Amino acid sequence: PAEWFMIEMQGNLESRSKEHVEGKFIGDLHFNKQGVPVMIIGHHILYGKEIELDQPVLAISKDSNLPEKSNGEELMDLDNVENSGKYNVNAIIRKKLVFKSRPKPIIANVPKKV
């Protein structure tokens, strides 16, 4: 199974258009040869570190495939079906990636004029 991480960043993450960044692509996450996490956001690069969580965190989602009433018929002997629910465990998160340092600008090598 795929390994999930929690990402912790210091400071604010804002878009130029002042839109919410929830659910949107914000950048690329890579690991260098030494295993150091590297995040690239726009023209900035951040270096982080991988930390083991004290207690694992579950990523869950609510199952929407619950029985429904059809054509006014009552469900048989199901108490509080509308209040009950089934949850699926998507992942167990055991590590987090922490990005504490300030982002560094990515500057292309520009040749000097002679």
Side-chain angles (χ1 to χ4, degrees):
E3 185 173 12
W4 285 29
F5 293 95
M6 181 183 304
I7 295 178
E8 179 180 314
M9 300 175 78
Q10 303 295 319
N12 296 330
L13 185 62
E14 297 177 353
S15 69
R16 289 184 183 183
S17 61
K18 303 297 182 196
E19 293 179 19
H20 290 285
V21 293
E22 180 180 322
K24 295 187 180 178
F25 176 80
I26 60 166
D28 293 315
L29 177 64
H30 303 277
F31 290 86
N32 66 14
K33 292 178 183 176
Q34 292 79 27
V36 175
V38 178
M39 183 174 287
I40 300 171
I41 301 176
H43 292 84
H44 294 88
I45 188 165
L46 295 101
Y47 295 96
K49 63 181 177 178
E50 188 176 311
I51 297 177
E52 192 82 22
L53 293 173
D54 294 333
Q55 294 183 343
V57 176
L58 293 179
I60 61 173
S61 61
K62 188 170 185 177
D63 189 2
S64 60
N65 296 327
L66 293 175
E68 298 178 4
K69 297 178 183 177
S70 60
N71 298 332
E73 295 177 15
E74 297 292 324
L75 295 171
M76 299 181 345
D77 296 326
L78 293 177
D79 297 330
N80 297 328
V81 170
E82 54 277 342
N83 294 331
S84 67
K86 179 179 174 185
Y87 293 88
N88 298 319
V89 176
N90 297 328
I92 300 172
I93 303 170
R94 293 187 170 90
K95 297 177 185 177
K96 71 177 176 179
L97 304 177
V98 179
F99 296 92
K100 286 185 180 179
S101 61
R102 293 183 63 88
K104 295 174 177 48
I106 299 174
I107 301 172
N109 291 333
V110 179
K112 296 180 181 179
K113 290 185 176 182
V114 180

